[in-house]
Amino acid sequence: MNEILFANEEPAVEIGVAGIMAAKPNEPPMQSLHKSIAALEQAIARDDRATIKAVLKDAIPEFGSNAA
């Protein structure tokens, strides 16, 4: 059985159990999070959906990759 439950951008790390890997989280710096949240709040207040999507895509590269 093989199942991958983490993003491609998250490097796999050994955890000391044969056949089991863990993902190292890809965490942005807090400064970036604050900036993204502020931009999202402003875009939401303006109901600016294009900017909302752009901010989310910038903060989360996988965001919308399967969306049309």
Side-chain angles (χ1 to χ4, degrees):
M1 179 184 259
N2 183 3
E3 187 173 13
I4 299 173
L5 300 174
F6 49 92
N8 292 334
E9 293 78 15
E10 296 176 317
V13 294
E14 295 281 343
I15 63 167
V17 178
I20 298 180
M21 303 289 284
K24 182 177 180 187
N26 187 7
E27 298 175 356
M30 277 305 242
Q31 181 85 8
S32 286
L33 286 175
H34 287 294
K35 183 178 176 183
S36 295
I37 291 169
L40 275 175
E41 288 174 336
Q42 292 173 5
I44 290 167
R46 294 188 313 265
D47 195 26
D48 182 351
R49 293 170 189 252
T51 299
I52 292 168
K53 289 178 183 178
V55 171
L56 290 172
K57 181 69 176 166
D58 185 52
I60 309 163
E62 303 86 12
F63 178 80
S65 60
N66 293 330

